[in-house]
Amino acid sequence: MDYYQSPTHEQRFDLEIKNSQFITTIRRTRGRDEAKAFIADMNMRYPDANHNCWAFVAGPPKNVHLWDQSDDGEPKGTAGKPMLNVLQHSNFGEITVVVTRYFGGIKLGAGGLVRAYSQAVVEALDQLEWQEIYPRETVSIKIAYPMLGKVEYWLENSDIDVEDKQFSESIDVSLAVIERTWPEQKQALIDLCQGNITIIENDKE
């Protein structure tokens, strides 16, 4: 599988366990800043909740540097860690999950909390509307000004994202390309420009 899954939009799922309300809200987040901003939004949305526990995988699933979690006042290891564990064993990336708990008067115990927070995330992921995200790499191209219109039209009809353009003696365009489709697209660009293009991949021409 060369893609991972990510939410199409913010989604909410409700669960009741022994009178406690567990509200699971999920959003696609690209990077730690987006994840933390979403968590802050949820804290403002549910300021009266007993807990707003969270976990995120804010990049591709295997990028451990973009994993994090919080129990938000629940006993240590009973909320954020099991939530993150569910995410780690899924194929989801660029995702943040916040489980908001309103205590219903019946204590669940440490084991019960682990099961409840895990269940809240598992059930939400099972119902989640998601999209396929393909890993991308950054590639730079240099083209002459007369080629700009033709290349822009071709790019608009491709799955390539244009990240930046710099105009000097030539036009330098930074592209985010999907790894699996790039080799064929690279050749198509070379043919389109009749060879009058410089392509730089991973700082190598």
Side-chain angles (χ1 to χ4, degrees), residues 17 21 23 29 31 41 47 67 74 79 101 103 110 112 140 147 153 155 157 166 171 174 184:
I17 299 176
Q21 301 295 322
I23 303 168
T29 51
D41 286 347
W67 296 355
E74 291 281 31
R101 183 189 182 197
F103 179 55
S140 297
M147 298 300 302
Y153 179 78
L155 289 171
N157 290 280
Q166 298 291 331
I171 303 170
S174 179
E184 184 177 336

PDB file of all heavy atoms in Angstrom, residues 17 21 23 29 31 41 47 67 74 79 101 103 110 112 140 147 153 155 157 166 171 174 184:
ATOM      1  N   ILE A  17     -20.583   5.539  27.891  1.00  0.00           N
ATOM      2  CA  ILE A  17     -20.132   4.381  28.649  1.00  0.00           C
ATOM      3  C   ILE A  17     -20.366   4.669  30.127  1.00  0.00           C
ATOM      4  O   ILE A  17     -19.767   5.608  30.689  1.00  0.00           O
ATOM      5  CB  ILE A  17     -18.642   4.082  28.389  1.00  0.00           C
ATOM      6  CG1 ILE A  17     -18.397   3.762  26.905  1.00  0.00           C
ATOM      7  CG2 ILE A  17     -18.171   2.916  29.266  1.00  0.00           C
ATOM      8  CD1 ILE A  17     -16.937   3.549  26.558  1.00  0.00           C
ATOM      9  N   GLN A  21     -20.111  10.655  28.907  1.00  0.00           N
ATOM     10  CA  GLN A  21     -20.202  10.969  27.491  1.00  0.00           C
ATOM     11  C   GLN A  21     -18.792  11.130  26.917  1.00  0.00           C
ATOM     12  O   GLN A  21     -17.983  11.889  27.458  1.00  0.00           O
ATOM     13  CB  GLN A  21     -20.995  12.269  27.282  1.00  0.00           C
ATOM     14  CG  GLN A  21     -22.416  12.226  27.827  1.00  0.00           C
ATOM     15  CD  GLN A  21     -23.291  11.219  27.100  1.00  0.00           C
ATOM     16  OE1 GLN A  21     -23.177  11.059  25.889  1.00  0.00           O
ATOM     17  NE2 GLN A  21     -24.154  10.536  27.839  1.00  0.00           N
ATOM     18  N   ILE A  23     -17.058  12.268  23.480  1.00  0.00           N
ATOM     19  CA  ILE A  23     -17.256  12.916  22.182  1.00  0.00           C
ATOM     20  C   ILE A  23     -15.915  12.885  21.448  1.00  0.00           C
ATOM     21  O   ILE A  23     -14.945  13.508  21.881  1.00  0.00           O
ATOM     22  CB  ILE A  23     -17.735  14.370  22.348  1.00  0.00           C
ATOM     23  CG1 ILE A  23     -19.037  14.415  23.162  1.00  0.00           C
ATOM     24  CG2 ILE A  23     -17.924  15.038  20.981  1.00  0.00           C
ATOM     25  CD1 ILE A  23     -19.414  15.821  23.607  1.00  0.00           C
ATOM     26  N   THR A  29      -4.853  17.127  10.042  1.00  0.00           N
ATOM     27  CA  THR A  29      -3.895  18.153  10.466  1.00  0.00           C
ATOM     28  C   THR A  29      -2.539  17.838   9.850  1.00  0.00           C
ATOM     29  O   THR A  29      -2.014  16.737  10.011  1.00  0.00           O
ATOM     30  CB  THR A  29      -3.765  18.183  12.002  1.00  0.00           C
ATOM     31  OG1 THR A  29      -3.509  16.864  12.500  1.00  0.00           O
ATOM     32  CG2 THR A  29      -5.038  18.717  12.639  1.00  0.00           C
ATOM     33  N   GLY A  31       1.069  18.637  10.193  1.00  0.00           N
ATOM     34  CA  GLY A  31       2.103  19.231  11.030  1.00  0.00           C
ATOM     35  C   GLY A  31       1.616  19.524  12.439  1.00  0.00           C
ATOM     36  O   GLY A  31       0.416  19.587  12.717  1.00  0.00           O
ATOM     37  N   ASP A  41      -8.752  24.658  19.652  1.00  0.00           N
ATOM     38  CA  ASP A  41     -10.147  24.898  19.248  1.00  0.00           C
ATOM     39  C   ASP A  41     -11.107  24.049  20.081  1.00  0.00           C
ATOM     40  O   ASP A  41     -12.161  24.522  20.519  1.00  0.00           O
ATOM     41  CB  ASP A  41     -10.347  24.553  17.768  1.00  0.00           C
ATOM     42  CG  ASP A  41      -9.741  25.586  16.835  1.00  0.00           C
ATOM     43  OD1 ASP A  41      -9.381  26.684  17.315  1.00  0.00           O
ATOM     44  OD2 ASP A  41      -9.631  25.291  15.622  1.00  0.00           O
ATOM     45  N   PRO A  47     -15.240  23.962  26.995  1.00  0.00           N
ATOM     46  CA  PRO A  47     -14.495  24.431  28.181  1.00  0.00           C
ATOM     47  C   PRO A  47     -14.992  23.814  29.480  1.00  0.00           C
ATOM     48  O   PRO A  47     -14.268  23.795  30.478  1.00  0.00           O
ATOM     49  CB  PRO A  47     -14.729  25.949  28.159  1.00  0.00           C
ATOM     50  CG  PRO A  47     -16.049  26.111  27.475  1.00  0.00           C
ATOM     51  CD  PRO A  47     -16.081  25.039  26.419  1.00  0.00           C
ATOM     52  N   TRP A  67       4.291  12.388  16.168  1.00  0.00           N
ATOM     53  CA  TRP A  67       3.340  11.735  17.064  1.00  0.00           C
ATOM     54  C   TRP A  67       3.344  12.463  18.402  1.00  0.00           C
ATOM     55  O   TRP A  67       4.380  12.928  18.868  1.00  0.00           O
ATOM     56  CB  TRP A  67       3.743  10.282  17.354  1.00  0.00           C
ATOM     57  CG  TRP A  67       3.760   9.342  16.197  1.00  0.00           C
ATOM     58  CD1 TRP A  67       3.381   9.579  14.915  1.00  0.00           C
ATOM     59  CD2 TRP A  67       4.212   7.976  16.236  1.00  0.00           C
ATOM     60  NE1 TRP A  67       3.568   8.454  14.144  1.00  0.00           N
ATOM     61  CE2 TRP A  67       4.073   7.454  14.926  1.00  0.00           C
ATOM     62  CE3 TRP A  67       4.728   7.159  17.232  1.00  0.00           C
ATOM     63  CZ2 TRP A  67       4.428   6.152  14.596  1.00  0.00           C
ATOM     64  CZ3 TRP A  67       5.070   5.854  16.910  1.00  0.00           C
ATOM     65  CH2 TRP A  67       4.918   5.352  15.616  1.00  0.00           C
ATOM     66  N   GLU A  74      -6.628  12.887  33.059  1.00  0.00           N
ATOM     67  CA  GLU A  74      -6.987  11.509  33.388  1.00  0.00           C
ATOM     68  C   GLU A  74      -5.744  10.827  33.972  1.00  0.00           C
ATOM     69  O   GLU A  74      -4.615  11.285  33.776  1.00  0.00           O
ATOM     70  CB  GLU A  74      -7.440  10.756  32.130  1.00  0.00           C
ATOM     71  CG  GLU A  74      -8.761  11.214  31.547  1.00  0.00           C
ATOM     72  CD  GLU A  74      -9.983  10.679  32.288  1.00  0.00           C
ATOM     73  OE1 GLU A  74      -9.896  10.464  33.522  1.00  0.00           O
ATOM     74  OE2 GLU A  74     -11.035  10.513  31.643  1.00  0.00           O
ATOM     75  N   ALA A  79      -5.491   7.455  28.723  1.00  0.00           N
ATOM     76  CA  ALA A  79      -6.280   8.113  27.669  1.00  0.00           C
ATOM     77  C   ALA A  79      -5.445   8.378  26.415  1.00  0.00           C
ATOM     78  O   ALA A  79      -5.628   7.745  25.375  1.00  0.00           O
ATOM     79  CB  ALA A  79      -6.889   9.408  28.192  1.00  0.00           C
ATOM     80  N   ARG A 101     -14.511  14.189  27.354  1.00  0.00           N
ATOM     81  CA  ARG A 101     -15.274  13.375  28.308  1.00  0.00           C
ATOM     82  C   ARG A 101     -16.041  14.245  29.289  1.00  0.00           C
ATOM     83  O   ARG A 101     -15.471  15.151  29.906  1.00  0.00           O
ATOM     84  CB  ARG A 101     -14.357  12.428  29.089  1.00  0.00           C
ATOM     85  CG  ARG A 101     -15.136  11.512  30.048  1.00  0.00           C
ATOM     86  CD  ARG A 101     -14.223  10.735  30.959  1.00  0.00           C
ATOM     87  NE  ARG A 101     -14.989   9.840  31.838  1.00  0.00           N
ATOM     88  CZ  ARG A 101     -14.526   9.282  32.943  1.00  0.00           C
ATOM     89  NH1 ARG A 101     -13.269   9.525  33.314  1.00  0.00           N
ATOM     90  NH2 ARG A 101     -15.277   8.494  33.678  1.00  0.00           N
ATOM     91  N   PHE A 103     -17.929  13.476  32.670  1.00  0.00           N
ATOM     92  CA  PHE A 103     -18.029  12.408  33.663  1.00  0.00           C
ATOM     93  C   PHE A 103     -19.477  12.195  34.085  1.00  0.00           C
ATOM     94  O   PHE A 103     -20.207  13.142  34.371  1.00  0.00           O
ATOM     95  CB  PHE A 103     -17.162  12.772  34.876  1.00  0.00           C
ATOM     96  CG  PHE A 103     -17.181  11.767  35.981  1.00  0.00           C
ATOM     97  CD1 PHE A 103     -16.850  10.442  35.732  1.00  0.00           C
ATOM     98  CD2 PHE A 103     -17.511  12.142  37.276  1.00  0.00           C
ATOM     99  CE1 PHE A 103     -16.849   9.504  36.764  1.00  0.00           C
ATOM    100  CE2 PHE A 103     -17.513  11.220  38.306  1.00  0.00           C
ATOM    101  CZ  PHE A 103     -17.184   9.896  38.042  1.00  0.00           C
ATOM    102  N   ALA A 110      -8.786   2.403  36.006  1.00  0.00           N
ATOM    103  CA  ALA A 110      -7.742   2.588  34.995  1.00  0.00           C
ATOM    104  C   ALA A 110      -7.985   1.715  33.762  1.00  0.00           C
ATOM    105  O   ALA A 110      -7.923   2.187  32.628  1.00  0.00           O
ATOM    106  CB  ALA A 110      -6.369   2.282  35.607  1.00  0.00           C
ATOM    107  N   GLY A 112     -10.766   0.380  32.763  1.00  0.00           N
ATOM    108  CA  GLY A 112     -11.977   0.823  32.084  1.00  0.00           C
ATOM    109  C   GLY A 112     -11.753   2.066  31.247  1.00  0.00           C
ATOM    110  O   GLY A 112     -12.319   2.208  30.155  1.00  0.00           O
ATOM    111  N   SER A 140      12.347  20.590  -8.092  1.00  0.00           N
ATOM    112  CA  SER A 140      12.415  21.934  -8.678  1.00  0.00           C
ATOM    113  C   SER A 140      12.663  21.832 -10.177  1.00  0.00           C
ATOM    114  O   SER A 140      13.416  20.961 -10.634  1.00  0.00           O
ATOM    115  CB  SER A 140      13.547  22.741  -8.029  1.00  0.00           C
ATOM    116  OG  SER A 140      13.298  22.920  -6.659  1.00  0.00           O
ATOM    117  N   MET A 147       7.905  29.150 -22.127  1.00  0.00           N
ATOM    118  CA  MET A 147       7.316  27.846 -21.823  1.00  0.00           C
ATOM    119  C   MET A 147       6.290  27.900 -20.698  1.00  0.00           C
ATOM    120  O   MET A 147       5.573  26.931 -20.452  1.00  0.00           O
ATOM    121  CB  MET A 147       8.423  26.854 -21.425  1.00  0.00           C
ATOM    122  CG  MET A 147       9.458  26.563 -22.502  1.00  0.00           C
ATOM    123  SD  MET A 147       8.700  25.862 -23.995  1.00  0.00           S
ATOM    124  CE  MET A 147       7.913  24.414 -23.313  1.00  0.00           C
ATOM    125  N   TYR A 153      -0.427  25.057 -17.773  1.00  0.00           N
ATOM    126  CA  TYR A 153      -1.640  24.337 -18.193  1.00  0.00           C
ATOM    127  C   TYR A 153      -1.481  22.843 -17.928  1.00  0.00           C
ATOM    128  O   TYR A 153      -2.405  22.190 -17.424  1.00  0.00           O
ATOM    129  CB  TYR A 153      -1.913  24.581 -19.681  1.00  0.00           C
ATOM    130  CG  TYR A 153      -3.138  23.862 -20.190  1.00  0.00           C
ATOM    131  CD1 TYR A 153      -4.419  24.356 -19.941  1.00  0.00           C
ATOM    132  CD2 TYR A 153      -3.017  22.669 -20.908  1.00  0.00           C
ATOM    133  CE1 TYR A 153      -5.547  23.690 -20.392  1.00  0.00           C
ATOM    134  CE2 TYR A 153      -4.140  21.997 -21.369  1.00  0.00           C
ATOM    135  CZ  TYR A 153      -5.406  22.508 -21.105  1.00  0.00           C
ATOM    136  OH  TYR A 153      -6.513  21.831 -21.563  1.00  0.00           O
ATOM    137  N   LEU A 155       0.457  21.407 -15.688  1.00  0.00           N
ATOM    138  CA  LEU A 155       0.465  21.163 -14.250  1.00  0.00           C
ATOM    139  C   LEU A 155      -0.944  21.213 -13.654  1.00  0.00           C
ATOM    140  O   LEU A 155      -1.286  20.433 -12.761  1.00  0.00           O
ATOM    141  CB  LEU A 155       1.360  22.180 -13.541  1.00  0.00           C
ATOM    142  CG  LEU A 155       2.868  22.027 -13.757  1.00  0.00           C
ATOM    143  CD1 LEU A 155       3.613  23.221 -13.193  1.00  0.00           C
ATOM    144  CD2 LEU A 155       3.374  20.726 -13.123  1.00  0.00           C
ATOM    145  N   ASN A 157      -3.587  20.242 -14.909  1.00  0.00           N
ATOM    146  CA  ASN A 157      -4.321  19.027 -15.258  1.00  0.00           C
ATOM    147  C   ASN A 157      -3.609  17.761 -14.758  1.00  0.00           C
ATOM    148  O   ASN A 157      -3.893  16.660 -15.237  1.00  0.00           O
ATOM    149  CB  ASN A 157      -4.511  18.958 -16.776  1.00  0.00           C
ATOM    150  CG  ASN A 157      -5.488  20.009 -17.273  1.00  0.00           C
ATOM    151  OD1 ASN A 157      -6.697  19.834 -17.186  1.00  0.00           O
ATOM    152  ND2 ASN A 157      -4.969  21.121 -17.767  1.00  0.00           N
ATOM    153  N   GLN A 166       9.585  31.316  -8.600  1.00  0.00           N
ATOM    154  CA  GLN A 166      10.535  32.417  -8.504  1.00  0.00           C
ATOM    155  C   GLN A 166      10.887  32.870  -9.927  1.00  0.00           C
ATOM    156  O   GLN A 166      11.209  32.039 -10.784  1.00  0.00           O
ATOM    157  CB  GLN A 166      11.806  31.982  -7.767  1.00  0.00           C
ATOM    158  CG  GLN A 166      11.575  31.552  -6.321  1.00  0.00           C
ATOM    159  CD  GLN A 166      11.198  32.713  -5.412  1.00  0.00           C
ATOM    160  OE1 GLN A 166      11.600  33.854  -5.657  1.00  0.00           O
ATOM    161  NE2 GLN A 166      10.435  32.433  -4.362  1.00  0.00           N
ATOM    162  N   ILE A 171      12.470  30.818 -14.949  1.00  0.00           N
ATOM    163  CA  ILE A 171      11.410  30.635 -13.957  1.00  0.00           C
ATOM    164  C   ILE A 171      11.714  29.365 -13.174  1.00  0.00           C
ATOM    165  O   ILE A 171      11.842  28.283 -13.751  1.00  0.00           O
ATOM    166  CB  ILE A 171      10.032  30.528 -14.631  1.00  0.00           C
ATOM    167  CG1 ILE A 171       9.762  31.773 -15.484  1.00  0.00           C
ATOM    168  CG2 ILE A 171       8.939  30.358 -13.575  1.00  0.00           C
ATOM    169  CD1 ILE A 171       8.537  31.652 -16.362  1.00  0.00           C
ATOM    170  N   SER A 174       8.860  25.210  -7.772  1.00  0.00           N
ATOM    171  CA  SER A 174       8.983  24.124  -6.806  1.00  0.00           C
ATOM    172  C   SER A 174       7.707  23.292  -6.828  1.00  0.00           C
ATOM    173  O   SER A 174       6.604  23.830  -6.691  1.00  0.00           O
ATOM    174  CB  SER A 174       9.222  24.692  -5.401  1.00  0.00           C
ATOM    175  OG  SER A 174       9.328  23.661  -4.449  1.00  0.00           O
ATOM    176  N   GLU A 184       7.004   8.939 -14.762  1.00  0.00           N
ATOM    177  CA  GLU A 184       6.288   9.116 -16.030  1.00  0.00           C
ATOM    178  C   GLU A 184       6.013  10.594 -16.298  1.00  0.00           C
ATOM    179  O   GLU A 184       6.143  11.074 -17.434  1.00  0.00           O
ATOM    180  CB  GLU A 184       4.975   8.326 -15.983  1.00  0.00           C
ATOM    181  CG  GLU A 184       4.177   8.351 -17.274  1.00  0.00           C
ATOM    182  CD  GLU A 184       2.928   7.509 -17.208  1.00  0.00           C
ATOM    183  OE1 GLU A 184       2.877   6.575 -16.384  1.00  0.00           O
ATOM    184  OE2 GLU A 184       1.986   7.783 -17.978  1.00  0.00           O
TER     185      GLU A 184
END
